[in-house]
Amino acid sequence: MEEACSGFTRFDFCQILDATDNFSEKMIVGWGGFGKVYKGQLPGGLNVAIKRADEHTAMLEVNSELQLAKLQHANVIRLLGWCIHGKERILVYEFMQNGSLDRYLCARIKGPLLDWSKRLKIIKGLVEGLVYLHKHPMLSIVHRDLKPNNIILECDMTLNISDFGSAKTLSPDVTEEHTCRVVGTSGYIAPEYASRGVYSLKTDVFSFGILVLETISGRKNTILDKRGDTVGDLVRDAWCIWKDRIRLHELVDRSLGHGYDIAEVVMYAQVALLLLCAQEDPVDRPAMTDVAAMLSSESMSLPMEPKEPSALSEGGAGEDTYINRSSRTIDITITSSATVLTRVRFIIDPEV
């Protein structure tokens, strides 16, 4: 780990204890598959976010986050330093005063603070950040766990993509990879990744589409406990509203009142649904570079109409459908919207 940390500040463990008031629960500002995140203050007065790996976090995940933390982009969180003390593995990041996007979506008090222009800024920042990750000169980077909790906002609502513990890299000549350990969050995880462990750049594209719909609507995307559901209730509702254009205003967060441009709502909703148009075949989703081109088009028009996801006509399924039937064993880690982490291992006999 120390080799991976080269180029970053090494903090003393006592500094970390002082900054977090001995890891006080009142200092916790977030948590995830990596561990808990604390707000801290260094001796010079600088506020920082301190990620403390829990005992179940694999060293591979820590090293993955460290390697990708070296990325430099306005929409990617910046690592400041690290600390190793016995079994303690700690990463120190710059602190974003406005916290994560999930604090604003679906919140009666904070939701109205996100006016339409701020929501568009968040979506555009996410596009730019993902284009950078996907088109990195050396390796394409798949985040694999894009969700509101991992979108951190600065004071001016500039977006930062964070938490690269689940991220993977793809070499230029590889379009997709397979894993027997699926790590993701219910409501945001791409169907092909959840069911078969196949991930690619299009895995993030699916999650992006969900985030766009949530940012527009102020609603969470919930996977319904019905057989066959791979996309969630928000996608289902958005599609029904899309088919009846005169109801499109119903997709917009009510806290915005009439403070939005309906033409822009049409465009962003169409982009989101276009990304979700073919659940079984991620090839039909556009690349993030294509999404960027669509959103920067002065004509605000898209080359095609979104197709209805076939999963919408088949009902829904719960998390128990996330099984890889082509492998004998698959580990699945799915975080629910209530931030409860579930780890399950299925042993499958393909001959049964």
Side-chain angles (χ1 to χ4, degrees), residues 307-320:
K307 296 186 297 183
E308 179 177 6
S310 62
L312 294 188
S313 60
E314 297 173 358
E319 295 172 0
D320 57 343

Side-chain angles (χ1 to χ4, degrees), residues 178-183 189-199 203 228-230 279-282 285 317-327 329-332 334 346 348:
H178 179 273
T179 180
C180 287
R181 183 168 179 266
V182 176
V183 181
I189 188 171
E192 72 281 356
Y193 178 46
S195 63
R196 297 182 288 115
V198 175
Y199 64 88
T203 304
D229 184 14
T230 59
Q279 303 305 318
E280 294 77 22
D281 191 356
R285 301 175 203 147
E319 295 172 0
D320 57 343
T321 61
Y322 294 165
I323 302 173
N324 179 2
R325 299 192 180 279
S326 63
S327 304
T329 304
I330 181 166
D331 286 323
I332 300 171
I334 297 178
F346 292 95
I348 301 170

Side-chain angles (χ1 to χ4, degrees), residues 206-247:
F206 177 90
S207 302
F208 168 79
I210 298 294
L211 284 169
V212 171
L213 290 178
E214 290 193 343
T215 302
I216 292 173
S217 67
R219 287 179 49 189
K220 289 285 187 182
N221 185 49
T222 304
I223 297 294
L224 302 179
D225 190 18
K226 297 177 182 178
R227 184 174 183 78
D229 184 14
T230 59
V231 293
D233 62 342
L234 176 56
V235 178
R236 177 178 282 102
D237 291 348
W239 176 255
C240 292
I241 291 173
W242 174 263
K243 289 193 294 185
D244 186 1
R245 297 292 198 279
I246 63 173
R247 295 175 52 214

Side-chain angles (χ1 to χ4, degrees), residues 18-241:
D18 289 341
T20 60
D21 194 14
N22 199 22
F23 294 115
S24 170
E25 289 190 6
K26 67 180 181 181
M27 304 296 282
I28 297 175
V29 293
W31 56 87
F34 184 100
K36 295 178 180 178
V37 182
Y38 299 80
K39 179 181 178 181
Q41 189 175 75
L42 299 178
L46 177 66
N47 288 325
V48 293
I50 296 173
K51 297 184 69 172
R52 184 189 191 190
D54 62 34
E55 59 182 350
H56 302 295
T57 301
M59 182 60 73
L60 181 62
E61 294 177 54
V62 180
N63 285 334
S64 174
E65 179 133 2
L66 278 168
Q67 291 294 338
L68 297 177
K70 296 180 179 180
L71 302 172
Q72 297 293 323
H73 189 271
N75 298 114
V76 176
I77 195 74
R78 185 167 67 93
L79 179 70
L80 300 178
W82 55 280
C83 174
I84 300 176
H85 180 79
K87 294 183 179 180
E88 296 280 1
R89 291 158 291 166
I90 296 165
L91 301 178
V92 181
Y93 288 87
E94 57 183 344
F95 183 77
M96 300 299 170
Q97 193 64 42
N98 281 331
S100 57
L101 180 59
D102 67 299
R103 294 176 58 189
Y104 294 84
L105 297 179
C106 314
R108 291 183 179 180
I109 297 177
K110 289 186 175 293
L113 298 177
L114 283 184
D115 61 26
W116 183 244
S117 64
K118 290 186 177 69
R119 294 179 194 231
L120 293 189
K121 181 176 182 178
I122 288 170
I123 294 173
K124 291 175 181 177
L126 185 56
V127 171
E128 292 173 7
L130 287 175
V131 168
Y132 171 76
L133 295 176
H134 289 185
K135 299 297 290 183
H136 193 268
M138 301 301 293
L139 291 169
S140 296
I141 300 160
V142 188
H143 188 283
R144 298 202 306 171
D145 195 20
L146 289 171
K147 56 184 178 181
N149 309 64
N150 293 334
I151 304 302
I152 312 299
L153 303 174
E154 297 183 32
C155 292
D156 63 352
M157 289 300 178
T158 295
L159 170 151
N160 283 263
I161 300 172
S162 70
D163 198 346
F164 288 86
S166 301
K168 293 291 184 181
T169 57
L170 295 174
S171 57
D173 59 337
V174 175
T175 58
E176 66 180 32
E177 290 281 5
H178 179 273
T179 180
C180 287
R181 183 168 179 266
V182 176
V183 181
T185 301
S186 177
Y188 306 93
I189 188 171
E192 72 281 356
Y193 178 46
S195 63
R196 297 182 288 115
V198 175
Y199 64 88
S200 66
L201 298 180
K202 300 301 180 67
T203 304
D204 287 349
V205 173
F206 177 90
S207 302
F208 168 79
I210 298 294
L211 284 169
V212 171
L213 290 178
E214 290 193 343
T215 302
I216 292 173
S217 67
R219 287 179 49 189
K220 289 285 187 182
N221 185 49
T222 304
I223 297 294
L224 302 179
D225 190 18
K226 297 177 182 178
R227 184 174 183 78
D229 184 14
T230 59
V231 293
D233 62 342
L234 176 56
V235 178
R236 177 178 282 102
D237 291 348
W239 176 255
C240 292
I241 291 173

